[in-house]
Amino acid sequence: MLIAFQGEIGAFSEEAVRALVPGAEPVPQPSFEAVFEAVTEARVDYALIPIENSLFGSVHINYDLLEAHALWIAGEINLRIRHHLMAVPGATLDGLREVHSHPQALGQCRTYLRTHLPRAQAIPAYDTAGAARMVARRGEPHLAAIASERAAAEYGLVVLAPGIESNHQNYTRFLLLTRSPEAVPPGLPDAPAKTSIVYSLHHNVPGGLFKSLAVFALRDIDLFKIESRPLVGSPGQYLFYLDLAGAHTDAPVQRALDHLREISATLKVLGSYPGGRTVG
Amino acid sequence: MLIAFQGEIGAFSEEAVRALVPGAEPVPQPSFEAVFEAVTEARVDYALIPIENSLFGSVHINYDLLEAHALWIAGEINLRIRHHLMAVPGATLDGLREVHSHPQALGQCRTYLRTHLPRAQAIPAYDTAGAARMVARRGEPHLAAIASERAAAEYGLVVLAPGIESNHQNYTRFLLLTRSPEAVPPGLPDAPAKTSIVYSLHHNVPGGLFKSLAVFALRDIDLFKIESRPLVGSPGQYLFYLDLAGAHTDAPVQRALDHLREISATLKVLGSYPGGRTVG
């Protein structure tokens, strides 16, 4: 079973693929667009995409790609993003002079670096897994990378200090995409418990958002996520992203969605799927 | 007047500083944390931070930093992110063999690169302005960067192809931060027209979000933004980010905020400010 993801071997997305569908083969892709193409054109069985991070927000571009492709959300997983300091075997903390990683990772580990490695220079790289690979290739003991545990294992590096990020509340939520609601990989919990939708309202309806949420509140349907996104070039127009409790085939959810269709300009159901575990 | 921003000279944030407060001196900082520290410790007069991008979502980490620092939002601006292909003077499109840029920029210009430069290799860099600087330093005519117009000017490169991104709906919204509501830079429109707040609700109140939005809907106060953010480690608990019409000193807004305080667990007003222009 092939699952496409964006990034290199050792990236956090690859870790998420392995945690969600053990035994699947992660297939690296250079961009999110390439991930969507690979699954749409059936070169892989599924795709895994990040949809939101607890520090860096929703990945709107993946919502756009979900709207543009006829794919279905079949599962989700929350992965804790832990940053480890790693170097070649034999390297010591005292000997480190350069720490390579993605600027976000360097920023998140700034307090550790200032306190423990004041003489090491932080050098930005374009991704964490790539920094680990470079440190392994060069093989010099004064070089370190900040990356995932998986990257250390993949490139034969040793972790000198685990979990050095200041904010431990760093989680990324990933979605598993299929070409049809029927094609769900074995091993996922059966019953869909969540539904994701995207909708827009007719222009200039006062209190439109409030009314659209009433279709769920009046039926006691819980919401897990709500987000407005301005439609560029259409001032005052928004897309709304909603995650709600229940499957789209449950009677109350079905009635709420019918009701929402009456009052919205557009509505797309992106998928119903089991609520995801948190790992890492 | 000094304004701190995250990134290098030639970054889009620097362009936003110059567009919002002409004549101010942009002061580069290595991270968002450093930007907040610089203005809090009065080493600069103001700070400019990105808060959301039309393709990549809200920058939650900057909401966290807003909560952790006693700063005030005094203004905003929307900057169109345009990607230009640039090289040293004398270089030609036909001669290009490498295109350097941030992976997001390379992804956004993928269709152009495939169509017009099929023989050039796309090489990821850690930021767009850094790629432009590197191309200028190496001075070789087979190298190109994808970066901002400002980066081309800064590093003496010529634009071989402007605006090569596939999706032209790429905008970043920046916020101007001050140490106090009184210290607003000259030149901004006077009247605050928008207020940004962040709040949380008591746990397990059914329909809590719906009720909290009622305090605005019942007073016909328009909302420009709503976003829920799960509180990591507290399942079912959320922070809500809201931008609403009016200043926090307007009577109806004041009453709505008092009402919201009654039913919310926490509430912080981040600032009232004039609605921003869109530039670029």
Side-chain angles (χ1 to χ4, degrees):
Chain A
M1 188 190 307
L2 303 177
I3 304 188
F5 71 97
Q6 190 273 324
E8 300 204 31
I9 294 295
F12 288 103
S13 290
E14 191 215 345
E15 213 169 308
V17 168
R18 293 184 185 278
L20 185 61
V21 191
E25 186 185 328
V27 181
Q29 299 290 331
S31 66
F32 295 132
E33 290 84 352
V35 169
F36 276 79
E37 277 170 25
V39 63
T40 299
E41 295 167 3
R43 281 181 278 120
V44 297
D45 300 296
Y46 305 101
L48 196 82
I49 55 160
I51 199 69
E52 57 189 302
N53 172 272
S54 58
L55 301 180
F56 293 96
S58 289
V59 186
H60 285 170
I61 193 173
N62 279 338
Y63 275 107
D64 287 340
L65 290 166
L66 277 170
E67 282 217 79
H69 292 78
L71 297 173
W72 185 255
I73 306 173
E76 66 168 2
I77 192 164
N78 294 293
L79 181 74
R80 172 150 167 226
I81 306 300
R82 292 193 72 204
H83 291 301
H84 303 292
L85 185 73
M86 57 192 69
V88 292
T92 61
L93 276 180
D94 282 350
L96 296 180
R97 289 298 171 272
E98 290 182 13
V99 180
H100 295 253
S101 195
H102 187 277
Q104 272 183 10
L106 292 172
Q108 287 167 35
C109 302
R110 202 159 144 259
T111 306
Y112 176 91
L113 295 177
R114 278 204 293 206
T115 313
H116 295 89
L117 296 172
R119 284 172 309 166
Q121 204 189 343
I123 299 179
Y126 96 95
D127 78 359
T128 56
R133 199 188 46 200
M134 186 277 293
V135 166
R137 271 198 196 153
R138 285 179 54 186
E140 300 162 34
H142 69 279
L143 302 180
I146 295 174
S148 70
E149 203 171 352
R150 172 95 202 108
E154 179 69 30
Y155 299 114
L157 300 177
V158 293
V159 172
L160 295 179
I164 61 169
E165 67 277 7
S166 300
N167 187 337
H168 298 301
Q169 309 295 291
N170 188 355
Y171 289 80
T172 298
R173 178 180 168 222
F174 293 88
L175 300 177
L176 183 75
L177 308 181
T178 73
R179 283 183 295 278
S180 88
E182 289 71 41
V184 174
L188 292 187
D190 276 338
K194 263 175 114 160
T195 297
S196 291
I197 64 171
V198 49
Y199 66 94
S200 64
L201 298 173
H202 297 290
H203 201 32
N204 283 333
V205 177
L209 168 64
F210 188 66
K211 284 176 193 162
S212 71
L213 295 182
V215 311
F216 303 105
L218 295 172
R219 290 174 178 91
D220 292 323
I221 295 169
D222 277 340
L223 302 182
F224 300 130
K225 170 180 181 143
I226 173 161
E227 184 166 340
S228 66
R229 177 179 173 199
L231 272 173
V232 175
S234 308
Q237 286 277 74
Y238 299 88
L239 283 180
F240 297 98
Y241 299 128
L242 226 67
D243 289 350
L244 51 100
H248 70 299
T249 47
D250 295 350
V253 173
Q254 224 165 1
R255 281 193 294 264
L257 293 176
D258 285 344
H259 187 169
L260 182 56
R261 238 170 240 116
E262 280 176 53
I263 60 174
S264 62
T266 62
L267 168 61
K268 184 175 179 180
V269 178
L270 300 176
S272 285
Y273 48 95
R277 286 182 306 135
T278 295
V279 298
Chain B
M1 187 191 308
L2 303 177
I3 304 187
F5 72 98
Q6 190 273 325
E8 301 204 30
I9 295 293
F12 288 104
S13 290
E14 191 216 344
E15 213 170 308
V17 168
R18 291 182 186 278
L20 185 61
V21 191
E25 186 184 329
V27 181
Q29 299 290 330
S31 66
F32 294 133
E33 289 84 351
V35 169
F36 276 80
E37 277 169 27
V39 64
T40 299
E41 295 168 4
R43 282 181 279 118
V44 296
D45 301 295
Y46 305 101
L48 196 82
I49 54 159
I51 199 69
E52 58 189 303
N53 172 272
S54 58
L55 300 180
F56 294 96
S58 289
V59 186
H60 285 169
I61 194 173
N62 279 338
Y63 275 106
D64 288 341
L65 291 166
L66 278 170
E67 283 218 79
H69 292 78
L71 297 173
W72 184 255
I73 306 173
E76 66 169 2
I77 191 164
N78 294 293
L79 181 73
R80 172 150 167 226
I81 306 299
R82 291 192 73 202
H83 291 302
H84 303 292
L85 184 74
M86 56 193 67
V88 292
T92 60
L93 277 180
D94 282 351
L96 297 179
R97 289 297 171 272
E98 291 182 13
V99 179
H100 295 252
S101 195
H102 187 277
Q104 271 183 11
L106 291 173
Q108 287 168 34
C109 302
R110 203 160 143 257
T111 306
Y112 176 90
L113 295 177
R114 277 204 294 207
T115 312
H116 295 88
L117 297 171
R119 284 171 309 166
Q121 204 189 341
I123 299 179
Y126 97 95
D127 79 357
T128 56
R133 200 188 46 201
M134 187 277 293
V135 166
R137 270 198 196 152
R138 285 179 53 188
E140 299 162 34
H142 69 280
L143 301 180
I146 295 174
S148 70
E149 201 170 354
R150 171 96 201 107
E154 180 68 31
Y155 299 114
L157 298 177
V158 292
V159 172
L160 294 179
I164 61 169
E165 67 278 6
S166 299
N167 187 337
H168 298 300
Q169 308 295 292
N170 189 356
Y171 289 79
T172 299
R173 178 180 168 221
F174 293 88
L175 299 178
L176 183 75
L177 307 181
T178 73
R179 284 183 294 279
S180 88
E182 288 71 42
V184 174
L188 291 187
D190 278 337
K194 264 174 114 160
T195 297
S196 292
I197 64 171
V198 50
Y199 66 95
S200 64
L201 298 173
H202 296 290
H203 201 33
N204 282 334
V205 177
L209 168 64
F210 188 66
K211 284 176 194 163
S212 70
L213 295 182
V215 311
F216 303 105
L218 295 173
R219 291 173 178 91
D220 293 325
I221 295 169
D222 277 339
L223 302 182
F224 300 129
K225 171 180 180 145
I226 174 162
E227 184 164 340
S228 66
R229 177 180 173 197
L231 271 173
V232 175
S234 308
Q237 286 277 73
Y238 299 88
L239 284 179
F240 296 98
Y241 300 128
L242 225 68
D243 290 350
L244 51 99
H248 69 299
T249 47
D250 295 350
V253 173
Q254 225 165 0
R255 281 194 293 265
L257 292 175
D258 286 345
H259 188 170
L260 182 57
R261 239 172 238 116
E262 279 177 52
I263 60 175
S264 62
T266 63
L267 168 62
K268 184 174 181 182
V269 178
L270 301 176
S272 285
Y273 47 97
R277 286 181 307 135
T278 296
V279 297

